[in-house]
Amino acid sequence: MTERVVIVGGGTGGTVLANNLAGRLDREIDAGDVEITLINDGPDHVYKPVWLYVPFGQRELENGRRPLEELLDSRVTLRIDRITDIDADAQRLRSRNPGRPIEYDYLVLATGSTLAPEEIPGLAEAGHDYYSESGATALRDELLSFTEGHLVLSVVGTPHMCPAAPLEFVFMADDWFRERGLREDVDITYTYPIQRVHGNPHIAEWARPLMDERDIRVETFFNAEEIDADENVVRSMEGTDLEYDLLVGIPPHRGIDLIEEAGLGDRGWVDVNKHTLEAEAAENVYALGDTANTGVPNAGSVAHYQAGVVSQRLASEIRGQPPTAVYDGKTLCFIETGMDAASFVEFDYENPPSPARPSQKLHWSKLAYNESYWLTARGLL
Amino acid sequence: MTDTDIEPTETVNARGAACPGPLMDLIGKIRSVEPGAVVCLLSDNDQSLTDVPEWAEQAGNEVLAVESHDDYQAFYVEKA
């Protein structure tokens, strides 16, 4: 009987998994023993790290988009559709297209993050972001005309995609305004919800002195409660008011509602075993990338490594062998520290990060990786 | 403090979450409840023993009790 693997989500996790699995199970697929289907609600794969560069005029949105059809192994069936119901007991999905339900033997949820600015009154109206295509282009237009005033970057919610990106943005903005001779006319403030500037204490200890040296003001224990767009003020739960001229907000994130409705986890994040990535509440269901509630950063490198683990485990299960591959929390991350310098961190569940000294070489490494990302998506790198 | 008979309005189970997950889970829940409500946070992360009282003080909320169990703590926080 044919084993049906259904992957929902065509971001980094879903795409890398589909290609990795197609390569690993090529003989079984050719023999008709395995089918791999990837379901995505749009035709394109989007590489979100490009958005960080859009507000500074360094990249265009199209640099981060490619048709999934071009990226996927020809042995993977691509279905453009939106899933509307997950029945994990019956191992069945329904979609917005009427017709027969989609049945699976193994389901992988790689549905990623969605933005929820509406959870903070005023944020959607007053705040800019670079966590969406529309946000990145609108912010670019604002930044180009911003020559003086107070730029506030407020991390409103965690977890959020790419935990280093808010630090990168203020480091890049500082450098960008300096290069243009405007820095003395622009104040920059960075806010973070807890008592340090980043969730990981090692990265926070590294970043804070850099921020102080570069006159980037910091407000910690700052959880935005509402944005008063008439007065240009962010009000925090802790009772601090912060006036701004340009507000860049990192909005609260959620997974998709279907996951909560299916009883797989809260706020759209699937509760998983953090080593095997198997759902806690259902059989034959995996989650990876942002969707998997593992406590590691919501980052592309995490999705990439997790996809390799899920691929190995699925192949073992399909072949009737005990799956042995486990995810060890491995995360890699380049961190821009300006317009032409970057740091680099590597860590896992056991070993904390130790940020590298910022250098131009690491900056170019980050840009080179961004360009070669499409090889990663294809499963070649 | 141990063993309380406080009945929380909401309970957040953040056991197993790495720092700052438990504190962020608490903050998220405090956002969504009414003033006067009591949120009980379950955490097995030692950092919560300092994070939670420090944040509660900053935000003007009150830690009513901290209950110690074998391998986790329960923090009862009343929203101001």
Side-chain angles (χ1 to χ4, degrees):
Chain A
M1 206 174 82
T2 304
E3 300 273 16
R4 298 155 300 182
V5 179
V6 174
I7 302 164
V8 183
T12 299
T15 304
V16 173
L17 171 63
N19 285 331
N20 190 311
L21 199 54
R24 199 179 292 276
L25 293 174
D26 54 353
R27 277 175 297 165
E28 287 86 346
I29 295 170
D30 291 344
D33 296 333
V34 173
E35 285 176 2
I36 302 171
T37 303
L38 187 146
I39 303 172
N40 196 54
D41 60 2
D44 288 347
H45 177 95
V46 179
Y47 182 52
K48 298 177 181 178
V50 164
W51 298 341
L52 173 65
Y53 300 89
V54 170
F56 300 104
Q58 298 217 325
R59 286 290 182 279
E60 300 297 328
L61 293 179
E62 51 264 34
N63 297 135
R65 262 188 187 272
R66 295 262 177 109
L68 273 165
E69 195 79 54
E70 288 179 10
L71 297 173
L72 285 176
D73 189 295
S74 60
R75 286 166 291 205
V76 176
T77 303
L78 173 63
R79 178 169 173 163
I80 309 301
D81 202 350
R82 182 182 285 268
I83 299 302
T84 56
D85 182 65
I86 301 169
D87 184 342
D89 292 331
Q91 303 200 167
R92 184 182 298 154
L93 310 173
R94 287 194 180 276
S95 79
R96 64 184 166 192
N97 288 328
R100 288 172 52 192
I102 302 159
E103 297 188 331
Y104 65 82
D105 296 292
Y106 299 98
L107 173 67
V108 184
L109 295 168
T111 44
S113 296
T114 58
L115 305 182
E118 68 281 358
E119 292 183 3
I120 309 298
L123 182 60
E125 299 78 29
H128 289 82
D129 74 82
Y130 51 96
Y131 276 64
S132 60
E133 289 189 328
S134 58
T137 48
L139 180 55
R140 176 180 59 196
D141 295 344
E142 285 295 319
L143 268 184
L144 286 173
S145 58
F146 191 75
T147 54
E148 61 178 350
H150 190 192
L151 187 161
V152 173
L153 182 137
S154 185
V155 179
V156 177
T158 69
H160 57 79
M161 291 180 276
C162 191
L167 289 170
E168 294 182 287
F169 185 86
V170 291
F171 287 141
M172 291 169 75
D174 166 73
D175 206 8
W176 194 67
F177 284 119
R178 281 182 204 282
E179 285 178 4
R180 298 169 64 218
L182 298 171
R183 184 63 174 91
E184 288 187 358
D185 301 319
V186 175
D187 292 320
I188 300 175
T189 298
Y190 172 96
T191 84
Y192 204 72
I194 60 169
Q195 71 277 40
R196 53 180 183 265
V197 298
H198 191 272
N200 187 297
H202 300 271
I203 294 174
E205 284 169 21
W206 164 80
R208 183 61 197 262
L210 284 182
M211 300 171 95
D212 293 341
E213 279 169 26
R214 293 162 66 165
D215 200 24
I216 297 167
R217 299 180 198 168
V218 169
E219 288 276 348
T220 54
F221 270 146
F222 189 99
N223 286 274
E225 187 160 54
E226 62 166 340
I227 317 297
D228 183 336
D230 295 330
E231 299 292 325
N232 279 19
V233 172
V234 190
R235 301 208 163 90
S236 81
M237 292 170 76
E238 292 79 11
T240 308
D241 285 0
L242 201 53
E243 293 184 9
Y244 65 85
D245 295 299
L246 175 56
L247 175 65
V248 182
I250 313 301
H253 285 40
R254 299 178 63 94
I256 59 170
D257 293 341
L258 285 179
I259 285 170
E260 194 158 336
E261 290 161 14
L264 295 171
D266 294 336
R267 286 184 69 84
W269 315 124
V270 179
D271 291 328
V272 296
N273 177 305
K274 70 178 190 176
H275 295 289
T276 67
L277 304 169
E278 292 168 314
E280 303 275 13
E283 295 289 317
N284 301 322
V285 176
Y286 284 86
L288 55 78
D290 295 3
T291 316
N293 188 6
T294 56
V296 295
N298 291 3
S301 66
V302 167
H304 179 183
Y305 291 122
Q306 291 181 343
V309 170
V310 172
S311 175
Q312 286 186 53
R313 294 188 70 86
L314 283 173
S316 296
E317 291 195 49
I318 286 167
R319 290 169 175 159
Q321 300 161 348
T324 57
V326 289
Y327 176 61
D328 62 2
K330 187 171 181 180
T331 306
L332 295 186
C333 187
F334 290 98
I335 305 173
E336 296 282 23
T337 55
M339 300 311 288
D340 65 355
S343 176
F344 174 79
V345 289
E346 179 176 8
F347 53 101
D348 58 37
Y349 288 138
E350 302 297 329
N351 302 291
S354 175
R357 180 191 297 273
S359 70
Q360 193 176 49
K361 190 185 295 181
L362 286 169
H363 166 70
W364 285 108
S365 299
K366 174 158 186 166
L367 296 188
Y369 179 77
N370 283 349
E371 291 302 315
S372 60
Y373 169 75
W374 303 106
L375 298 176
T376 294
R378 286 195 176 94
L380 300 173
L381 186 69
Chain B
M1 284 178 273
T2 56
D3 294 337
T4 172
D5 55 4
I6 299 168
E7 281 292 322
T9 317
E10 297 269 1
T11 297
V12 179
N13 184 359
R15 284 178 287 182
C19 183
L23 178 59
M24 292 310 302
D25 288 351
L26 172 67
I27 291 170
K29 187 56 75 178
I30 289 275
R31 257 189 216 290
S32 66
V33 299
E34 297 296 319
V38 175
V39 175
C40 176
L41 170 71
L42 310 181
S43 172
D44 52 12
N45 190 309
D46 288 345
Q47 188 73 34
S48 297
L49 288 166
T50 49
D51 284 358
V52 172
E54 281 183 21
W55 176 75
E57 188 182 346
Q58 285 275 336
N61 301 314
E62 189 176 355
V63 179
L64 300 177
V66 181
E67 216 176 54
S68 292
H69 295 265
D70 285 347
D71 52 0
Y72 70 95
Q73 271 86 35
F75 301 83
Y76 293 81
V77 182
E78 184 178 45
K79 180 171 177 173

